[in-house]
Amino acid sequence: MAQIVLFHSALGLNDGMRRMAGVFTEAGHTVHTPDFYDGRVFDNVPDGIAYRDEVGFPALAQRASAAVEELGLEGPVYFGGFSLGAAMAQSFGKRHRQAAGAFLCHAGGVPKPTSWNGGCWLQMHYTQGDEWVDAKQAEILIDSARAAGARACVHVYPGSAHLFGDPTAPEYSPELAQKMWGTILAAIS
């Protein structure tokens, strides 16, 4: 089965994140959940974003990189992230030598000038009206991945929920979450 590294949202490595990781462990995969918030957990997105801004994204990215390095991963690895964590998954999908796939959930990605890793597929999952996602930016990232030779696709769901896959979030949608998990698991298998 696959090795998966999942990066948490701005809420931190909370129960919702552990339950989402459980979707993959129940399917037989090995899952790692680096905590780049050093144990801090938040009940709401604004507080989590305030912590992100206080620490700074570059410092958080360094924490995530150090945590992944400590894992000593071998073989192909799939990187996934939720909201803020999708930026981490995107970064590892682009540059990690073992990246076989990247899935960005509840986020649209941020295109960068460097090209995508052509050996790493890319999936993006978000709702049509998610105020945290810029669909134009998502399409630029998808086009960049395709130009590098990677399989890349966007899955846009109805509604405007942000953390629709987090079973502890108020906007959780079992129907949408099930579709998202099915699509991701099919790509990993």
Side-chain angles (χ1 to χ4, degrees):
M1 296 314 257
Q3 288 189 88
I4 301 169
V5 177
L6 294 178
F7 296 102
H8 60 76
S9 73
L11 299 176
L13 186 55
N14 62 7
D15 183 54
M17 184 63 199
R18 287 184 184 88
R19 289 171 63 182
M20 290 188 290
V23 169
F24 299 99
T25 57
E26 289 172 13
H29 302 296
T30 301
V31 181
H32 307 278
T33 53
D35 183 0
F36 56 91
Y37 264 27
D38 289 340
R40 292 191 188 230
V41 176
F42 299 94
D43 293 328
N44 61 71
V45 173
D47 289 346
I49 294 296
Y51 179 72
R52 177 203 68 188
D53 294 345
E54 175 187 323
V55 174
F57 187 82
L60 295 174
Q62 287 175 346
R63 289 179 189 177
S65 291
V68 169
E69 187 66 32
E70 287 176 14
L71 293 173
L73 299 168
E74 294 185 20
V77 180
Y78 299 90
F79 293 97
F82 304 91
S83 193
L84 171 62
M88 303 299 179
Q90 175 184 329
S91 177
F92 281 94
K94 286 179 84 167
R95 63 181 171 83
H96 197 276
R97 68 191 180 285
Q98 294 162 260
F103 49 97
L104 315 184
C105 303
H106 318 312
V110 180
K112 300 286 185 190
T114 57
S115 67
W116 188 259
N117 168 1
C120 176
W121 56 256
L122 172 64
Q123 287 185 6
M124 300 168 82
H125 300 266
Y126 58 86
T127 59
Q128 184 175 9
D130 188 336
E131 66 183 66
W132 292 90
V133 176
D134 180 337
K136 290 180 183 177
Q137 296 294 309
E139 284 300 323
I140 292 170
L141 180 57
I142 289 294
D143 290 345
S144 170
R146 288 178 180 154
R151 287 180 309 152
C153 56
V154 176
H155 299 272
V156 181
Y157 303 85
S160 60
H162 181 56
L163 296 174
F164 67 85
D166 180 344
T168 64
E171 65 263 41
Y172 174 62
S173 168
E175 179 185 343
L176 299 183
Q178 184 177 18
K179 287 179 184 178
M180 180 177 73
W181 300 133
T183 303
I184 295 167
L185 288 168
I188 291 172
S189 301

